[in-house]
Amino acid sequence: DVLNVYVAPSSDLSKARPVTSDKKRPVTQYFWAHTNKHILYLQDAGGDENFHVFSVNLKSGKKVDLTPFPKVQARVVGVSYRRPKEVVIGVNQRSKQLHDLYLVNLVTGERKLLEENPGFMQWLVDADYRVRLAMSMTPDGGIRIMRKKAQRRSAAKVKAARGKKEPASSPSPMDGWELFQKVPFGDELGTGPIAFDRRGKHVYMWDSRERNTSALTRVNLKTGKFKLIAEHAKADGERLHMHPTSHRVLAVSFNHARREWRFLDRAVERDFKRLSNVSRGEVNVVSATLDNKRWIVAYVEDAGPVRYYLYDRRTKKPRFLFTHRTALEKLQLARMHPRVIKSRDGLELVNYLSLPASADPDGDGKPAQAMPTVLLVHGGPWARDRWGYDGLHQLLANRGYAVLSVNYRGSTGFGKAFTNAGDGEWAGKMHDDLIDSIDWAVAEGITDKDKVCIVGGSYGGYATLVGLTSTPERFACGVDIVGPSSLQTLLEAIPPYWKPVQDLFKRRVGDWTTAEGKKFLEQRSPLSRVHKIVKPLLIGQGANDPRVKQAEADQIVQAMRSRGIPVTYVLYPDEGHGFKRKPNRLSFFAAMEAFLSAHLGGVYGPAQLEEFTGTTMQVPSGSHGVPGLPALVDLLARQPPAQAPATHP
């Protein structure tokens, strides 16, 4: 029961057949190659994020590992209809910190070095696979966008050809590159190139310079002249709808509380208007034929599965294909309500509230009485929550809780002023925003102030630990999933391929290389305030996590146990930054809902071993802190040990 890729004729989905065959981990990153005969997909081993790129021939079933190198991470940089049998892949084989570019034949696996990386964190190639732009970070946290110089015959070579020798000199790694655009610190998260136009004379960019929100602009590559295409007063640009071959931008989306489209093509605008009447939810074009005459359209809604249609723009007829979760189609699910809340210093916090359907029969987002509440904190922190179907919101609402997701300062998507307001505010004003949101929910009669649990993953896990160590009186319990306990040890152990962006962390989080910076990071680290934990805590961790290493969980568990503070610690030896394998996810969320029931009073279903066959769950500490967990651990101990993950599928 592992997620794999299937293909089927659009006219008969009953003929779907699998084309990948991973037995251990779900395949979640995949796409068509322009041969129309191959699927490309990425997969790592045990959550280590050393992704390989694979090609699968749909007719023969032959699978080719296009990056067959141990302990190397690959990234797909370019896929073009103009060169259908090749892709451009970045690989950090030569240097763990830098990804060199290779031109790879997806049929044979043959590789050719396209560009050795002199120090860039990101590349942009055109449709002909010419390396045109690259980005590197400046010491002050800004970005240089570098332009590849035109390849001309140098004067030295001309003179050498005439028999005149030039003095030898060592070339600079940056020879052949010149500065195209400079992005100052504060704009680097909202400014950067996206794609080239058809002739390669212009580049489309998101740009927040000289404005607050990221607008779509078009920049002349020769002169640097800008043209504003679309902007929004409160939201950053989110995605483009482009013609697949002309590379003309047809529509731009922005997302403040809900997604909005700005149309640059009247025909496309008319199509979206027609499509908006077909099904409930937000309209998104997820793929298109090269002539842009047929679209795959997804309708994203909050209280139902994503619905997919095939839309023929010539006949103007949509045809229903499938939903992403058929089991959800007839269930009564919770609505998600956007709520804009004011922080104590006047910032707008765009949050999302879900209530059990039984507690909110009229759907107005207000229960009859105050409820136990889960404060769900997103990771990043340079990310955001969005409106739409959310499995965790639905699970928690089904178990009897109000669920509140908070876009605290530092979140992206709401303009640079909002994002930059989070600089240096980990465990500071970012945490205040969470408290302000809960205070709002209490004042509105939504939340029982004595029954709030803080839950989150990654930065959200850190926020959980901050909540239990900084404001323990505000929470009944906490669930930390792959969250760092010490900012100092977190930043000292960043993956090597994050080194090119380490200056961003120094400016926005804290400088772990100076005495003053270390002192600041210690003050903002939950590990330094472990003695203040008085409420129950559940921790989940993947042993192979390259971002927030297992040591982050181990050290706070050890510190708590040495002080006699109870903690439940769940560990998965075959997971990384989050839990992807289905039996592992099920086992952790079973433990979490039992934990929440014990401390908030909601319902939970007793765990059954058959539901978790294949899980690698280990509980190094505190199984008695979760109802039913000791019995489950005992049952798991009796089953055959799970097979260790292969190096790669």
Side-chain angles (χ1 to χ4, degrees):
D1 194 15
V2 177
L3 186 67
N4 277 283
V5 179
Y6 284 66
V7 298
S10 62
S11 58
D12 188 357
L13 299 186
S14 67
K15 294 182 179 179
R17 58 184 177 85
V19 295
T20 66
S21 56
D22 200 301
K23 299 295 192 295
K24 296 295 294 184
R25 296 184 66 75
V27 179
T28 57
Q29 301 181 68
Y30 57 91
F31 50 92
W32 283 94
H34 282 291
T35 60
N36 294 322
K37 299 176 181 178
H38 298 82
I39 293 288
L40 299 176
Y41 72 96
L42 284 77
Q43 186 62 289
D44 68 350
D48 63 4
E49 298 188 14
N50 286 324
F51 290 99
H52 285 211
V53 182
F54 296 88
S55 169
V56 179
N57 185 299
L58 299 184
K59 185 176 181 180
S60 67
K62 181 181 179 181
K63 179 176 72 174
V64 178
D65 185 349
L66 301 179
T67 54
F69 314 114
K71 298 181 179 179
V72 164
Q73 186 195 69
R75 302 171 177 175
V76 177
V77 176
V79 179
S80 174
Y81 69 96
R82 295 183 189 174
R83 302 182 70 166
K85 292 184 179 180
E86 297 168 312
V87 292
V88 178
I89 299 175
V91 182
N92 66 342
Q93 182 182 22
R94 177 183 59 87
S95 167
K96 294 299 180 185
Q97 297 183 21
L98 303 172
H99 288 71
D100 298 326
L101 292 189
Y102 286 85
L103 188 64
V104 184
N105 187 299
L106 60 87
V107 179
T108 66
E110 180 183 358
R111 292 173 295 278
K112 176 183 176 182
L113 181 64
L114 194 61
E115 192 83 32
E116 188 171 286
N117 193 336
F120 297 131
M121 63 182 185
Q122 189 177 344
W123 304 90
L124 194 65
V125 300
D126 64 17
D128 294 313
Y129 292 157
R130 294 176 297 175
V131 183
R132 304 288 301 280
L133 297 176
M135 282 66 78
S136 63
M137 185 150 280
T138 60
D140 64 356
I143 289 177
R144 294 188 192 93
I145 304 176
M146 304 296 289
R147 175 174 53 198
K148 186 76 171 176
K149 292 180 181 178
Q151 299 295 313
R152 297 186 180 93
R153 196 180 185 196
S154 69
K157 289 184 177 180
V158 172
K159 290 183 178 180
R162 295 173 179 170
K164 298 178 181 179
K165 294 184 178 180
E166 292 290 320
S169 61
S170 299
S172 164
M174 289 293 180
D175 279 356
W177 292 90
E178 60 188 359
L179 181 65
F180 173 58
Q181 298 284 325
K182 189 171 183 179
V183 181
F185 173 75
D187 285 293
E188 82 287 355
L189 292 177
T191 303
I194 311 165
F196 298 101
D197 65 7
R198 183 175 185 176
R199 296 195 295 170
K201 292 186 175 183
H202 299 85
V203 62
Y204 294 106
M205 289 182 60
W206 297 124
D207 200 333
S208 65
R209 291 173 294 180
E210 300 183 6
R211 55 171 53 87
N212 180 40
T213 56
S214 293
L216 178 66
T217 62
R218 189 180 69 181
V219 188
N220 186 296
L221 285 162
K222 184 176 181 180
T223 66
K225 185 177 179 180
F226 285 73
K227 180 181 179 181
L228 177 65
I229 296 178
E231 63 180 337
H232 189 286
K234 288 189 173 184
D236 296 329
E238 186 177 42
R239 64 172 62 179
L240 302 184
H241 177 47
M242 300 181 73
H243 191 284
T245 57
S246 74
H247 297 180
R248 188 166 61 90
V249 177
L250 306 173
V252 187
S253 74
F254 298 88
N255 194 332
H256 186 241
R258 293 280 301 269
R259 178 170 292 133
E260 305 170 35
W261 286 96
R262 303 286 172 84
F263 297 100
L264 306 175
D265 182 280
R266 290 185 178 180
V268 168
E269 183 175 10
R270 289 192 293 269
D271 285 321
F272 268 71
K273 187 174 181 179
R274 291 187 187 95
L275 289 167
S276 67
N277 296 318
V278 172
S279 181
R280 183 178 180 271
E282 295 177 346
V283 179
N284 297 282
V285 178
V286 296
S287 65
T289 53
L290 289 180
D291 61 7
N292 207 35
K293 296 300 184 185
R294 291 190 296 167
W295 294 346
I296 298 293
V297 179
Y299 290 86
V300 176
E301 58 176 297
D302 54 348
V306 181
R307 299 175 63 83
Y308 290 90
Y309 286 77
L310 179 63
Y311 176 61
D312 191 317
R313 298 185 67 206
R314 294 163 295 191
T315 64
K316 310 303 180 186
K317 293 182 179 179
R319 178 163 58 83
F320 175 73
L321 295 174
F322 58 90
T323 65
H324 89 292
R325 294 279 300 278
T326 56
L328 301 176
E329 291 176 6
K330 296 182 180 180
L331 298 181
Q332 186 181 24
L333 300 176
R335 297 289 184 194
M336 180 181 279
H337 304 277
R339 294 290 184 262
V340 180
I341 298 163
K342 287 284 188 179
S343 70
R344 65 189 67 180
D345 57 354
L347 294 185
E348 286 191 352
L349 310 176
V350 178
N351 295 344
Y352 298 98
L353 172 70
S354 296
L355 298 172
S358 59
D360 185 24
D362 60 1
D364 67 352
K366 289 190 176 183
Q369 61 185 16
M371 304 184 62
T373 298
V374 174
L375 176 64
L376 194 58
V377 188
H378 71 70
W382 306 299
R384 63 161 294 173
D385 285 311
R386 290 175 172 81
W387 181 90
Y389 176 83
D390 185 293
L392 198 48
H393 268 247
Q394 295 296 340
L395 171 66
L396 295 169
N398 179 266
R399 298 307 189 252
Y401 308 113
V403 189
L404 185 64
S405 287
V406 179
N407 280 306
Y408 47 85
R409 73 189 68 203
S411 301
T412 51
F414 306 99
K416 67 184 180 187
F418 188 82
T419 300
N420 297 345
D423 291 356
E425 295 296 341
W426 289 41
K429 292 180 180 179
M430 293 164 77
H431 183 64
D432 290 344
D433 291 343
L434 303 181
I435 298 299
D436 292 348
S437 297
I438 283 296
D439 285 345
W440 167 85
V442 171
E444 289 289 312
I446 296 167
T447 293
D448 181 340
K449 66 180 180 62
D450 296 321
K451 291 187 176 182
V452 180
C453 187
I454 182 170
V455 178
S458 194
Y459 175 87
Y462 165 81
T464 293
L465 299 177
V466 169
L468 296 193
T469 56
S470 295
T471 53
E473 73 284 355
R474 300 304 306 267
F475 300 104
C477 58
V479 181
D480 156 32
I481 306 170
V482 299
S485 59
S486 166
L487 297 183
Q488 177 73 23
T489 55
L490 169 76
L491 295 171
E492 287 177 340
I494 60 175
Y497 45 85
W498 282 16
K499 293 287 185 181
V501 296
Q502 66 180 1
D503 292 319
L504 179 145
F505 293 96
K506 287 182 178 179
R507 290 291 301 268
R508 292 193 179 271
V509 185
D511 190 346
W512 62 97
T513 64
T514 67
E516 183 181 0
K518 289 178 180 179
K519 183 178 180 180
F520 174 78
L521 292 172
E522 182 182 7
Q523 293 170 348
R524 298 298 176 94
S525 295
L527 187 63
S528 66
R529 298 191 299 272
V530 167
H531 61 283
K532 294 188 176 182
I533 297 178
V534 293
K535 299 297 175 63
L537 174 62
L538 169 64
I539 294 177
Q541 180 67 42
N544 301 323
D545 192 337
R547 308 185 195 189
V548 180
K549 293 182 170 55
Q550 182 183 334
E552 293 297 320
D554 289 349
Q555 62 192 4
I556 197 164
V557 169
Q558 182 180 357
M560 291 177 68
R561 294 184 65 180
S562 68
R563 290 168 172 80
I565 303 172
V567 57
T568 301
Y569 180 21
V570 178
L571 178 68
Y572 295 94
D574 58 347
E575 294 286 6
H577 198 59
F579 314 138
K580 288 191 174 182
R581 295 188 59 241
K582 183 178 179 180
N584 290 341
R585 292 200 317 275
L586 287 176
S587 64
F588 183 79
F589 287 123
M592 186 180 82
E593 69 174 37
F595 175 82
L596 293 174
S597 177
H599 304 296
L600 294 185
V603 299
Y604 77 98
Q608 303 295 326
L609 178 62
E610 58 268 21
E611 296 175 345
F612 311 127
T613 300
T615 185
T616 59
M617 171 192 268
Q618 299 175 3
V619 188
S621 177
S623 64
H624 291 279
V626 176
L629 190 55
L632 177 60
V633 170
D634 182 61
L635 287 171
L636 292 174
R638 300 177 193 174
Q639 72 174 357
Q643 183 180 356
T647 302
H648 270 96

